[in-house]
């Protein structure tokens, strides 16, 4: 269906303009220019910020460089959340571009996971896929896949290859025709306080009164009557989870 | 871990394009992209480019500052040398590359030329293919046309065959009718004969009682037998009489048709044996002795001989019998006795009218030609045809005896010679013109044709030996008794005499005021001594010319009411006879 394919494309190619600036406290040889980048929503921060790192390292002394981490308005950004989720959760109502501060020291170990190479991201991504398939098909599909199929999924994400990724991901989105859909829908719900949960969340249906929360997926608010199965098939992130952000409605 | 409630089915009913939620999602995604992405894309790209450039200048500036102090003159020189060497090397490489390029260009040119050649060839081939295609089309059309023609021809063949079989059936039916008629007539005749025989036998039986005891009676019987002209020997008569008592005892109705037949068969056989002997004596037959002909002057007997027109008449060699053949399909034989004609017998068997008639030299057989494309042969004592000679394509106009053969001429333009023993055609002569009459002499046959030719045939070779022109369409021919003079009648109302041995016309044509040749088959006669010629005219008169004087000897009118179709002269020269188109026959003599 043309529309469904368009949705998949729009989801995959969703971009967020971001402005990286070096933290004021970092010691530099000279003043560092800010770095602008369009971040893919479905990817992870540490996968796409090689250029940022290279840019800022020019002005840094080598001995001062520690592990790079990012922060927005005082909140350290967890690299293992998809970029889109980070934006929707923390900055959905801020002015674009999203201004991210880059740190090279004082790594907040209690808030963030270490990420020394992309293999860590790959391990995290694959475990998410397996978890999701366990919910959807009792892991049958992902277990039937070969090593190279797993690699294809990962390379598709890493190199931003839509066709390559979906050629394989399609299998994960299928379900037996005799059944109405997946066994369970894998999803995660994020709230402003910074935790994510998979437990049911009761949204007060505040009809008539003022709306207090926004339910945001990929930067949009789907209608409440949208079928969950369809949402899962089309609006899931590459890790096969439906990442839903519940954020306070803008006051204005 | 159950997900939130909500519509579970995703593809079944909800996947239609008209779903508002789906449209909403699409719309929101588009808006998101417009706001967050597109607006900044160019900006980000431009900034990155700018950043890269400024970074590069920084680096050059930095390196320039650093390198300005260090390099010595020698190093620079060395670097310059190296660069010069590199330049030379590059130039060489460029030259080589140019060569390679040139070569490739040449090859390209050649290839192009070959390509052009191949294109030409292809064009030619295509033209040829088109031509061939056209020719094929034409051939196909021709073939179709031929097929159609063949189909039509076959259909016609079938139709013709059908028609042929229909015609055959018609012919068969006609033949059957004719046969039935013949049978009926035969039956009637045989019954009449039976009755006659019965009567004769009865009288004979009564007379036998008187004669039986006396010798004088026997003598009387012998005398009575001698009086009869029949060829029965006394022994046969004896057998006849001896048989009678036995036969009488059987029921008459059963035996009577068979007895005469058996007795006749007996006679036939006897006669058959004796006939060759008679024919061997041919040179001595009385016919050949030319008697002085007398000019006919008076009609001895006028009678209505046939129901329809009479086409031909002929005397028998002994002059005692006259045969006439008519359109009514029969030959009638008349006894010429005491200046009168008495009907003796009627011979039938033809399915159409008869055209000509002739006695054989012994006077026992009669030959006649018929419109039914055949010639018929009778023996005088049997009214049923003995032989039917078929083979001509049109009516038989002339049939003549020639020693052991029979020669017939037909309207189909052929002259055929028949062997009577085998009853088969032995020779066929093609004249390619309507043959109107034939006469025969020793080993030759002379035929007259409508193409104004008189042809002489060798009957042994069946080839045309000589040919002579006449003045018009030849209607009939007649040969004198000695076979030297041939009389021909033409449609120009003139009779011409021909010397057979010299094969030339003798004198002028015989003509007369008022004489008009009535038809294409008008038959004329020459007297046996070749002194007179006679012909019947369209006005019903008979004209007689004197041969030696060439003048008209007599004009005999008032006895025929229609055109005279034939005239004949008896071999003794005593009588002449003429017949006309209304069935009348007239016997003439000088008395």
């Amino acid at each position: 269906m043309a529309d469904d394919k368009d949705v998949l494309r729009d989801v995959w190619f969703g971009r967020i303009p971001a402005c990286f600036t070096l933290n004021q406290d970092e010691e530099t040889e000279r003043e560092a220019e800010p770095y602008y980048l369009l971040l893919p929503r479905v990817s992870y921060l540490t996968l796409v910020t090689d250029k940022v790192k290279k840019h800022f390292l020019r002005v840094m002394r080598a001995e001062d460089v520690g592990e790079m981490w990012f922060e927005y308005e005082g909140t350290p950004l967890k690299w293992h959340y998809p970029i889109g989720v980070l934006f929707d959760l923390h900055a959905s109502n801020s002015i674009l571009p999203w201004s991210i501060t880059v740190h090279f020291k004082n790594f907040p170990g209690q808030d963030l996971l270490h990420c020394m190479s992309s293999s860590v991201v790959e391990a995290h991504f694959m475990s998410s896929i397996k978890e999701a398939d366990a919910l959807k098909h009792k892991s049958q599909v992902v277990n039937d896949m070969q090593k190279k199929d797993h690699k294809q999924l990962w390379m598709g994400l890493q190199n931003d290859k839509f066709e390559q990724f979906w050629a394989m991901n399609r299998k994960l989105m299928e379900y037996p025709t005799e059944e109405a859909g997946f066994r369970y829908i894998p999803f995660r719900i994020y709230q402003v306080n910074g935790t994510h949960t998979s437990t049911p969340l009761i949204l007060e249906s505040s009809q008539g009164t003022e709306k207090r929360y926004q339910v945001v997926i990929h930067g949009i608010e789907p209608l409440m009557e949208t079928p969950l199965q369809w949402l899962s098939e089309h609006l899931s992130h590459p890790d096969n989870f439906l990442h839903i952000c519940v954020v306070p409605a803008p006051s204005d | 871990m159950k997900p939130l409630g909500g519509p579970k089915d995703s593809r079944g009913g909800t996947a239609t394009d008209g779903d508002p939620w789906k449209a909403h999602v699409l719309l929101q995604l588009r808006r998101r992209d417009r706001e967050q992405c597109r607006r900044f894309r160019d900006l980000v790209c431009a900034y990155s480019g700018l950043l890269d450039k400024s970074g590069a200048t920084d680096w050059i500036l930095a390196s320039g500052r650093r390198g300005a102090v260090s390099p010595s003159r020698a190093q620079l020189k060395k670097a310059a040398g190296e660069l010069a060497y590199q330049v030379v090397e590059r130039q060489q490489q460029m030259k080589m590359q140019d060569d390679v390029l040139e070569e490739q260009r040449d090859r390209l040119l050649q290839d192009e030329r070959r390509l052009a050649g191949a294109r030409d060839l292809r064009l030619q081939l295509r033209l040829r293919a088109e031509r061939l295609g056209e020719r094929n089309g034409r051939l196909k059309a021709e073939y179709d046309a031929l097929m159609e023609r063949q189909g039509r021809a076959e259909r016609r063949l079938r139709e013709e065959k059908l028609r042929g079989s229909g015609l055959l059936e018609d012919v068969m039916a006609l033949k059957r009718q004719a046969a039935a008629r013949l049978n009926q007539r035969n039956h009637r005749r045989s019954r009449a004969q039976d009755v006659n025989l019965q009567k004769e036998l009865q009288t004979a039986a009564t007379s036998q009682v008187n004669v039986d005891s006396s010798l004088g009676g026997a003598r009387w019987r012998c005398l009575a037998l001698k009086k009869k002209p029949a060829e029965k020997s006394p022994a046969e008569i004896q057998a006849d009489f001896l048989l009678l008592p036995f036969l009488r005892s059987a029921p008459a109705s059963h035996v009577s048709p068979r007895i005469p037949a058996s007795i006749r068969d007996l006679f036939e056989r006897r006669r058959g044996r004796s006939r060759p002997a008679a024919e061997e004596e041919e040179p001595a037959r009385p016919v050949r002795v030319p008697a002085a002909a007398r000019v006919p002057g008076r009609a001895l007997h006028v009678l209505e001989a046939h129901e329809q027109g009479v086409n031909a008449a002929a005397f028998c060699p002994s002059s005692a019998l006259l045969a006439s053949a008519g359109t009514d399909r029969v030959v009638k034989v008349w006894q010429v006795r005491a200046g009168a004609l008495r009907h003796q017998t009627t011979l039938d068997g033809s399915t159409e009218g008869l055209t000509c008639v002739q006695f054989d030299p012994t006077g026992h057989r009669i030959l006649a030609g018929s419109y039914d494309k055949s010639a018929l042969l009778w023996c005088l004592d049997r009214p049923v045809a003995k032989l039917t000679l078929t083979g001509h394509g049109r009516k038989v106009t002339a049939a003549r005896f020639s020693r052991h053969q029979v020669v017939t001429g037909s309207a189909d333009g052929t002259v055929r010679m028949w062997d009577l023993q085998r009853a088969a055609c032995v020779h066929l002569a093609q004249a390619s013109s309507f043959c109107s009459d034939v006469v025969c002499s020793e080993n030759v046959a002379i035929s007259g044709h409508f193409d104004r030719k008189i042809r002489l045939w060798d009957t042994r070779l069946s080839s045309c030996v000589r040919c002579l022109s006449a003045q018009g369409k030849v209607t009939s021919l007649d040969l004198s008794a000695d076979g030297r003079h041939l009389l021909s009648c033409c449609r120009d109302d003139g009779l011409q005499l021909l010397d057979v041995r010299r094969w030339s016309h003798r004198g002028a044509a015989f003509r007369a005021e008022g004489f008009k040749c009535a038809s294409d088959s008008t038959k004329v006669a020459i007297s046996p001594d070749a002194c007179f010629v006679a012909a019947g005219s369209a006005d019903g008169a008979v004209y007689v010319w004197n041969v030696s004087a060439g003048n008209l000897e007599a004009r005999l009118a008032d006895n025929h009411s229609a055109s005279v179709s034939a005239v004949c002269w008896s071999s003794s020269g005593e009588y002449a006879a003429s017949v006309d188109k209304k069935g009348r026959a007239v016997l003439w003599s000088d008395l």
Side-chain angles (χ1 to χ4, degrees), chain A residues 1 17 34 41 218 221 233, chain B residues 10-11 15 24 32 36 47:
Chain A
M1 238 167 287
R41 276 178 166 272
H218 289 292
E221 282 184 276
E233 279 175 50
Chain B
S10 66
R11 291 189 192 173
H24 179 79
R32 182 201 72 185
Q36 300 181 354
Y47 180 79

Side-chain angles (χ1 to χ4, degrees), chain B residues 428-503:
Chain B
L428 172 67
Q430 288 279 359
S432 72
S433 172
F434 191 106
C435 174
S436 57
D437 204 357
V438 173
V439 291
C440 296
S441 182
E442 298 284 321
N443 291 330
V444 294
I446 302 166
S447 61
H449 296 272
F450 277 11
D451 62 354
R452 304 181 175 195
K453 291 278 193 314
I454 296 169
R455 290 184 171 86
L456 182 70
W457 305 87
D458 188 330
T459 53
R460 290 162 302 186
L461 302 171
S462 73
S463 61
C464 184
V465 183
R466 272 164 172 184
C467 188
L468 191 74
S469 291
Q471 289 154 328
K473 280 204 261 179
V474 180
T475 66
S476 73
L477 298 171
D478 196 20
L479 205 59
S480 67
D482 56 6
R484 290 180 192 170
H485 302 291
L486 179 75
L487 179 68
S488 67
C489 175
C490 297
R491 275 319 292 268
D492 70 339
D493 305 331
L495 280 68
Q496 188 101 39
L497 209 56
L498 184 93
D499 191 323
V500 175
R501 282 182 297 187
R502 283 191 283 170
W503 197 248

Side-chain angles (χ1 to χ4, degrees), chain B residues 293-298 487 495 510-513 515 524-527 529-537 541-557 567-569 573 575-578 588-590:
Chain B
R294 281 169 277 185
V295 179
R298 196 166 61 90
L487 179 68
L495 280 68
F510 300 104
R511 294 177 193 279
E513 199 178 330
F515 174 70
V524 297
I526 183 167
S527 67
D529 57 356
C531 288
F532 302 101
V533 295
S537 165
V542 175
Y543 291 73
V544 181
W545 287 270
N546 189 316
V547 169
S548 52
N551 63 333
L552 183 69
E553 191 78 23
R555 180 175 181 275
L556 312 169
V567 176
C568 64
W569 221 299
Y575 299 110
S578 60
W588 305 89
S589 186
D590 63 335

Side-chain angles (χ1 to χ4, degrees), chain A residues 25-54:
Chain A
D25 300 342
E26 301 289 342
E27 291 174 24
T28 58
E29 282 185 331
R30 60 180 189 278
E31 197 179 344
E33 304 287 341
Y35 194 81
Y36 288 86
L37 201 60
L38 284 172
L39 297 171
R41 276 178 166 272
V42 294
S43 192
Y44 298 94
L45 268 177
T46 45
L47 264 186
V48 294
T49 49
D50 285 347
K51 279 185 170 177
V52 179
K53 188 170 184 178
K54 214 169 139 192

Side-chain angles (χ1 to χ4, degrees), chain A residues 1 3-4 6-7 10 14-17 33-38 41 55 87 96-97 173 175 180 182-183 185 187 201 218-223 225-230 233, chain B residues 1-12 14-17 20-22 24-26 28-30 32-33 35-37 40-44 47-48 51-52 54-55 58:
Chain A
M1 238 167 287
D3 283 359
D4 289 353
D6 286 349
V7 170
D10 286 346
R15 292 287 187 273
I16 298 163
E33 304 287 341
Y35 194 81
Y36 288 86
L37 201 60
L38 284 172
R41 276 178 166 272
H55 173 75
F87 177 79
L96 287 171
M173 290 301 178
Y175 52 87
F182 303 137
R183 285 178 73 245
I185 306 287
F187 73 96
L201 177 86
H218 289 292
I220 62 166
E221 282 184 276
L223 294 177
E225 58 263 33
T226 312
L228 211 52
Q229 172 69 31
W230 187 85
E233 279 175 50
Chain B
M1 292 284 270
K2 265 275 189 194
L4 277 168
K8 264 291 211 172
D9 53 333
S10 66
R11 291 189 192 173
T14 56
T16 52
D17 293 338
W21 44 264
K22 197 184 283 183
H24 179 79
V25 165
L26 262 171
Q28 292 264 315
L29 281 170
R30 295 273 149 82
R32 182 201 72 185
D33 281 349
E35 283 174 359
Q36 300 181 354
C37 173
F40 294 93
R41 184 181 291 150
D42 295 343
L43 204 63
V44 170
Y47 180 79
S48 298
L51 207 63
D52 281 352
S54 72
D58 282 355

Side-chain angles (χ1 to χ4, degrees), chain A residues 39-78:
Chain A
L39 297 171
R41 276 178 166 272
V42 294
S43 192
Y44 298 94
L45 268 177
T46 45
L47 264 186
V48 294
T49 49
D50 285 347
K51 279 185 170 177
V52 179
K53 188 170 184 178
K54 214 169 139 192
H55 173 75
F56 288 117
L57 280 183
R58 276 192 207 150
V59 297
M60 301 271 296
R61 274 200 299 271
E63 58 268 28
D64 297 332
V65 176
E67 192 180 353
M68 183 174 67
W69 58 281
F70 304 98
E71 164 255 291
Y72 169 70
E73 291 181 351
T75 317
L77 297 175
K78 296 186 171 68

